[in-house]
Amino acid sequence: MAEATIFPTVWWDGKLMPYENATINVTQIGTASVSSVFEGIRAYMNPQTGELAIFQLDAHLKRFLQSIRLVRLECACTLQDLHDAALALLRANQPATDVYLRPFAYAESRTFGSATSTRAQVILHVAAWESKLQSGAVSHAAVSSWTRLSDNQMAPRVKASANYLNSRYAAEEAKRNGYDHALLLTPQGKVAEGPGMCLMLARDGKLITPSVTSDILESITRETVMQIAREKLNLAVVERAVDRTELYTSAEAFFCGTGIEIVPIVSVDRLALGDGKPGVITQRVQTAYHDIVRGIDASYPEWRTVVGAAA
Ligand code: PMP
């Protein structure tokens, strides 16, 4: 999201305020980040109705509250408060494009190693972020020399900002070596996920994805894709431990996540998957996902929270 334009109104602990006023002191930067957790949510325009709808809002907010709880912060906001805040924020900013919504919670702290405050401050902001679903983007991925964090160290299930240093090491290494994305292995050598996205393989007509005990973030897009694949595309989906060499022997693979959306992986460690082009199953998933997030396919209305005008 490097070049993202942040919209002028920010929500902070119950109040809408101008972006310029939503500041903390520079001396807090490091320590506030240690205990912080966040979410990343997309809202998509429906090209037919011109309506903006937030995709899987409550699923993301539930995971946000779970992350806050697991880092032992106390949050004054309920799920409904956050849901209403997201709508108020989008109505205040009135985006005319697809956007990315970022809830963020942190506690003030004076030191890196202690918990001087348990009160979560919650901030939501919104930025423009164009969808790449129809851009034809592909990924040449590489298995990282960095190991994925594990549950009893820095639990990947918790969407904590500090976890993303592990992601940064892997993503930076992949880029430096001329790849698009990294794939991280667990300490046991099984496949986990990418730095900010989950993985799906297609072998023998089935989708296979590392299980939730494979040191992954319990991704909402992964769940969404599994449901679409089973219910709309009539595909079998298996969640299990995945070996590294399965990456090389799969006919197809793709990344999935809110930010990355659905991106076909066409090679891993310079070994082409299938014919080295996006596979048929991947393309079917990508198209179905695109149509559903935008509401062009009206099924799963419970996944889309239409922003609409202020009440
Ligand atoms: N894994 C990691 C490490 C992530 O940061 C993300 C992005 N939130 C994902 C997977 C995908 O999760 P989701 O589908 O919920 O966005």
Side-chain angles (χ1 to χ4, degrees), residues 9-17 89 122 124:
T9 302
V10 171
W11 186 96
W12 189 344
D13 272 351
K15 289 191 209 77
L16 292 169
M17 61 177 70
L89 179 70
V122 179
L124 270 76

Side-chain angles (χ1 to χ4, degrees), residues 247-253 265-268 271-277:
L247 295 171
Y248 309 130
T249 52
S250 293
E252 299 181 31
I265 302 173
V266 293
S267 75
V268 180
L271 285 173
L273 303 195
D275 61 4
K277 300 202 184 89

Side-chain angles (χ1 to χ4, degrees), residues 125-191:
H125 74 255
V126 63
W129 198 7
E130 196 189 334
S131 169
K132 296 240 167 65
L133 275 169
Q134 291 187 313
S135 69
V138 296
S139 174
H140 294 275
V143 173
S144 185
S145 72
W146 295 95
T147 299
R148 182 72 180 131
L149 298 166
S150 66
D151 192 57
N152 206 32
Q153 297 168 327
M154 290 178 69
R157 182 172 284 105
V158 180
K159 201 163 166 61
S161 308
N163 288 2
Y164 287 79
L165 183 54
N166 179 242
S167 298
R168 184 184 160 89
Y169 286 143
E172 190 280 331
E173 177 191 54
K175 284 257 162 2
R176 180 162 28 93
N177 291 336
Y179 296 94
D180 300 308
H181 298 109
L183 277 162
L184 288 130
L185 305 183
T186 69
Q188 290 72 37
K190 300 293 180 187
V191 179

Side-chain angles (χ1 to χ4, degrees), residues 195-269:
M197 56 275 200
C198 280
L199 171 75
M200 296 267 166
L201 304 176
R203 295 188 74 189
D204 304 323
K206 271 193 292 230
L207 280 186
I208 300 166
T209 188
S211 62
V212 290
T213 52
S214 300
D215 296 328
I216 64 168
L217 179 72
E218 289 182 339
S219 150
I220 290 151
T221 317
R222 175 182 171 281
E223 283 294 329
T224 303
V225 165
M226 290 198 292
Q227 200 171 335
I228 294 173
R230 287 177 178 134
E231 294 175 2
K232 293 215 89 132
L233 307 179
N234 215 9
L235 292 169
V237 186
V238 186
E239 297 174 75
R240 62 164 173 79
V242 170
D243 280 338
R244 175 176 185 161
T245 47
E246 288 184 276
L247 295 171
Y248 309 130
T249 52
S250 293
E252 299 181 31
F254 60 91
F255 284 121
C256 66
T258 301
I260 197 159
E261 304 175 296
I262 310 285
V263 169
I265 302 173
V266 293
S267 75
V268 180
D269 293 339

